[in-house]
Amino acid sequence: MISADQASSTSSPVANPSATDTVNRDFDLGRYLQERREQVESALHSSITVVYPEKIYEAMRYSLLAGGKRLRPILCLATCELTGGTLEMAMPTACALEMIHTMSLIHDDLPAMDNDDYRRGKLTNHKVFGDDIAILAGDGLLAYAFEYVAVHTQGVAPERLLKVVARLGHAVAATGLVGGQVVDLDSEGETDITLEKLNFIHTHKTGALLEASVVSGAELSSADSETLKQLTRYARNIGLAFQIIDDVLDITATYEELGKTAGKDLQAQKATYPSLWGIDESRRQAQALVQEAKGALAEFGDKALPLMAIADYITARKS
Amino acid sequence: MISADQASSTSSPVANPSATDTVNRDFDLGRYLQERREQVESALHSSITVVYPEKIYEAMRYSLLAGGKRLRPILCLATCELTGGTLEMAMPTACALEMIHTMSLIHDDLPAMDNDDYRRGKLTNHKVFGDDIAILAGDGLLAYAFEYVAVHTQGVAPERLLKVVARLGHAVAATGLVGGQVVDLDSEGETDITLEKLNFIHTHKTGALLEASVVSGAELSSADSETLKQLTRYARNIGLAFQIIDDVLDITATYEELGKTAGKDLQAQKATYPSLWGIDESRRQAQALVQEAKGALAEFGDKALPLMAIADYITARKS
């Protein structure tokens, strides 16, 4: 079975899966996500004001406010609340996570990279503003993310906030999504990719920032090291599950559902989990990771309902 | 006369210029710069280790370790020492400043931007590693800069370090060099550019990071607000002087002296200070800004000799 780093060392991830299913049925995830998404959208809207030179601010806003699931900010808010913090403490970091994620999408879509024309149902940043402005909009969002966290976070111990800055940097740099993207670009057309390499790509390209999203929320509320460890286990498992399902959806979903060109991986002869395992086995593996992730939340009891439900949502989602 | 923001409001910047000249003659700037440059080079060498995926770390090191004056790190070290701090406190921020500066050079050189083939006498990053890796190397350096400051700085109050993080972000984002580059790209071929617009470009594209270099060094040593204000005045004046001389050198210097293609501005029909004022008047304006900058250091006495000498060096340099 696939393992999400240390996650694989534990044997029975969920003692009583049916009990977990029961509590999840009592929690209205749709409503929760909707409420959090609206709070995040509102905070993102206020985060960037258009001033001279307008074009760059408009380019940054174009991609930052293009919708999307806002999964990273929501994970950050959820773990901050779970570990005794408040939404207010976590919102600047939540926004920064989305700025960083948006930067990575803008740069990945460039002609020099994946050369994509559509993202979230809209023309990609460089198709609207040109390659030069798209590069700069990404740089601007990345730099602003760190400034935003440092300037706007309130009620958090400064040494903890520095740990969040460090985690964000680590998740984006060559140790994180940049490194994952490099190996991904390198592997294009490589039909006999190993599972090890595929896992490297995704634990870095997608996993690192998802992990930072989850763990930074707990860091902000000064959670202890055991709590950070369990949340890291949760994050790594949902991170990989998320990517496996992304790969599956690239094959099974339509453009309308995804908001971007479907079937890109097949077209680009990209090695994916379904290309290694087939679709059914990929879904099964994702499901096992989700169970493992939920197992890591055992100590939190009912307070972890949002994170439990988000884990389930990852395999159930259609886009 | 040109003004560097608030700098213009004071009348007689240097009460006794000849006295300043005298003290500067007693200070061996060449030796000082050489010693600091070696310390910075050594710290930069240790800052990035090549691990898997090697290509991205090699690309980052290729540009980060390509030489250069290391003016930004040296300014940061100098102001930290001037205001009672140590080299050790400032070295991680000094390295981060050079990482950020290197990112901006890599991205500016891309075909989608200025399309330059040579930088510091070597092929530009994308000519060696490809556009995709060059974009990612820039992203990686930018993100790592923040992580590096947050993780490696010792002996600095966490709340002051957060202010440094904020300053760095502000200096790079659309409020800083990204914004300056946008207006610069926009103005290409614009022959009737206003002085106001030219100043905007350079106070943002070059000035913002130079200012952050100077002021962050003082921030690290917990300098008071009056000291930060005087150092900001120093920084803004040398920042503009630096750019004016850069423009002059683009016309008067050779490829061998610059390590990059000379005459690029004329070729690109770029508006520059010499194109507005001519070469002689540009040099005179730069000299006046340098005197103004040195005036801001009056309160520090002999401790400010390194910064005084650096200000002089800006107008005297040949590359």
Side-chain angles (χ1 to χ4, degrees):
Chain A
M1 191 194 124
I2 186 175
S3 75
D5 298 1
Q6 298 101 316
S8 60
S9 58
T10 56
S11 51
S12 172
V14 180
N16 184 350
S18 65
T20 312
D21 291 351
T22 312
V23 285
N24 281 358
R25 269 199 297 276
D26 294 339
F27 176 74
D28 188 345
L29 179 67
R31 193 166 160 178
Y32 175 85
L33 290 179
Q34 175 68 18
E35 191 186 301
R36 287 289 172 274
R37 201 179 293 127
E38 281 168 12
Q39 289 165 319
V40 169
E41 290 297 336
S42 162
L44 288 174
H45 262 275
S46 320
S47 69
I48 298 179
T49 311
V50 177
V51 293
Y52 179 79
E54 290 80 5
K55 196 200 283 179
I56 186 67
Y57 294 96
E58 281 160 5
M60 288 162 62
R61 284 177 66 94
Y62 176 82
S63 293
L64 185 65
L65 305 178
K69 292 178 284 291
R70 309 306 191 189
L71 186 59
R72 290 156 193 80
I74 293 172
L75 282 169
C76 174
L77 298 175
T79 53
C80 188
E81 280 199 294
L82 170 65
T83 54
T86 65
L87 289 182
E88 290 68 30
M89 285 163 72
M91 193 57 90
T93 301
C95 289
L97 285 158
E98 196 66 16
M99 290 173 197
I100 290 171
H101 176 56
T102 303
M103 172 286 292
S104 78
L105 301 182
I106 295 173
H107 283 187
D108 281 5
D109 287 339
L110 285 165
M113 305 265 255
D114 294 349
N115 195 20
D116 275 307
D117 292 351
Y118 289 95
R119 166 76 68 181
R120 292 173 176 169
K122 294 173 71 175
L123 283 171
T124 44
N125 199 287
H126 66 274
K127 295 297 279 184
V128 178
F129 297 94
D131 293 5
D132 49 359
I133 296 296
I135 294 169
L136 290 166
D139 295 347
L141 282 168
L142 180 53
Y144 187 50
F146 291 99
E147 181 190 0
Y148 200 74
V149 164
V151 170
H152 294 282
T153 306
Q154 292 191 319
V156 172
E159 58 274 17
R160 285 297 187 132
L161 200 49
L162 283 170
K163 281 190 191 291
V164 169
V165 168
R167 274 185 193 277
L168 293 179
H170 196 75
V172 190
T175 44
L177 67 83
V178 161
Q181 175 71 350
V182 168
V183 179
D184 195 17
L185 287 166
D186 236 23
S187 311
E188 233 160 83
E190 200 177 292
T191 45
D192 58 344
I193 195 170
T194 60
L195 178 59
E196 193 190 353
K197 200 169 186 178
L198 197 60
N199 282 349
F200 182 93
I201 293 171
H202 297 306
T203 52
H204 290 75
K205 193 174 164 173
T206 331
L209 195 61
L210 282 171
E211 184 180 320
S213 305
V214 168
V215 183
S216 64
E219 195 79 78
L220 290 165
S221 70
S222 298
D224 62 33
S225 62
E226 180 54 31
T227 302
L228 293 177
K229 198 175 138 194
Q230 289 307 317
L231 288 172
T232 302
R233 200 180 129 209
Y234 167 82
R236 290 185 179 170
N237 281 287
I238 64 162
L240 256 181
F242 185 82
Q243 187 57 49
I244 294 172
I245 296 300
D246 242 28
D247 285 357
V248 168
L249 289 172
D250 185 76
I251 298 169
T252 60
T254 62
Y255 171 86
E256 283 67 33
E257 285 168 327
L258 290 185
K260 63 181 179 184
T261 317
K264 283 278 296 186
D265 296 343
L266 280 173
Q267 221 176 357
Q269 288 200 289
K270 227 173 184 169
T272 62
Y273 290 105
S275 74
L276 275 182
W277 294 330
I279 290 177
D280 289 347
E281 176 62 11
S282 296
R283 282 197 196 281
R284 210 192 61 77
Q285 295 275 6
Q287 193 51 48
L289 289 166
V290 164
Q291 289 307 317
E292 179 81 18
K294 288 160 74 176
L297 302 175
E299 63 163 304
F300 300 107
D302 277 7
K303 284 191 299 175
L305 284 178
L307 290 185
M308 293 265 190
I310 289 170
D312 282 328
Y313 161 76
I314 281 171
T315 41
R317 73 202 164 96
K318 298 271 178 268
S319 69
Chain B
M1 189 193 124
I2 185 175
S3 75
D5 299 0
Q6 299 101 315
S8 60
S9 58
T10 56
S11 53
S12 172
V14 180
N16 185 351
S18 65
T20 311
D21 291 351
T22 311
V23 285
N24 280 359
R25 270 201 295 276
D26 293 340
F27 176 74
D28 188 345
L29 178 68
R31 194 167 161 177
Y32 176 85
L33 291 178
Q34 175 68 17
E35 190 185 302
R36 288 288 172 274
R37 201 179 292 127
E38 282 168 14
Q39 290 166 318
V40 169
E41 290 296 337
S42 163
L44 288 173
H45 261 276
S46 320
S47 69
I48 298 179
T49 311
V50 178
V51 293
Y52 180 81
E54 289 81 6
K55 196 199 286 180
I56 186 68
Y57 293 97
E58 282 160 6
M60 288 160 62
R61 284 178 65 94
Y62 176 82
S63 294
L64 185 64
L65 305 178
K69 293 177 283 292
R70 310 308 193 190
L71 185 60
R72 290 155 193 81
I74 292 172
L75 282 169
C76 174
L77 298 174
T79 52
C80 188
E81 279 198 295
L82 170 65
T83 53
T86 64
L87 289 181
E88 291 67 32
M89 285 163 73
M91 194 56 89
T93 301
C95 290
L97 286 158
E98 195 66 18
M99 290 174 196
I100 290 171
H101 176 55
T102 304
M103 172 286 293
S104 77
L105 301 181
I106 296 173
H107 282 188
D108 280 6
D109 287 339
L110 285 166
M113 305 264 256
D114 294 349
N115 195 20
D116 275 309
D117 291 350
Y118 290 95
R119 166 75 67 181
R120 293 173 176 168
K122 294 172 70 174
L123 283 171
T124 43
N125 199 287
H126 66 274
K127 295 297 279 185
V128 177
F129 297 95
D131 293 5
D132 48 358
I133 296 296
I135 295 168
L136 290 166
D139 295 347
L141 282 168
L142 180 54
Y144 187 51
F146 292 99
E147 180 190 1
Y148 201 74
V149 164
V151 170
H152 293 282
T153 306
Q154 291 190 321
V156 173
E159 59 274 18
R160 285 297 187 132
L161 201 48
L162 282 171
K163 282 190 191 293
V164 168
V165 167
R167 274 185 193 276
L168 293 178
H170 197 76
V172 191
T175 44
L177 67 84
V178 161
Q181 174 71 349
V182 168
V183 179
D184 194 18
L185 287 167
D186 237 23
S187 310
E188 231 160 85
E190 200 177 292
T191 44
D192 58 341
I193 195 169
T194 60
L195 178 59
E196 193 190 356
K197 199 169 187 180
L198 198 58
N199 282 350
F200 181 93
I201 292 172
H202 297 305
T203 52
H204 290 76
K205 193 174 165 174
T206 331
L209 195 61
L210 283 172
E211 183 179 321
S213 305
V214 168
V215 183
S216 65
E219 194 79 79
L220 290 165
S221 70
S222 298
D224 61 34
S225 62
E226 180 54 31
T227 302
L228 293 177
K229 198 176 138 196
Q230 288 308 318
L231 288 172
T232 302
R233 200 181 130 209
Y234 167 81
R236 289 185 181 170
N237 281 288
I238 64 162
L240 255 181
F242 185 83
Q243 187 57 49
I244 294 171
I245 295 300
D246 242 27
D247 285 358
V248 169
L249 289 173
D250 185 75
I251 297 169
T252 60
T254 61
Y255 171 85
E256 283 67 33
E257 285 169 326
L258 289 185
K260 63 182 179 184
T261 317
K264 285 278 296 184
D265 295 343
L266 280 172
Q267 221 176 358
Q269 288 199 289
K270 227 172 184 166
T272 63
Y273 291 105
S275 75
L276 274 183
W277 294 330
I279 290 178
D280 289 347
E281 175 63 11
S282 296
R283 281 196 197 279
R284 210 192 62 77
Q285 294 275 4
Q287 194 51 47
L289 289 166
V290 163
Q291 290 306 318
E292 179 81 18
K294 287 160 76 177
L297 301 175
E299 64 163 302
F300 299 108
D302 277 5
K303 284 191 298 174
L305 284 179
L307 291 185
M308 295 264 190
I310 290 170
D312 282 329
Y313 161 76
I314 281 171
T315 41
R317 73 202 163 97
K318 299 270 176 270
S319 68

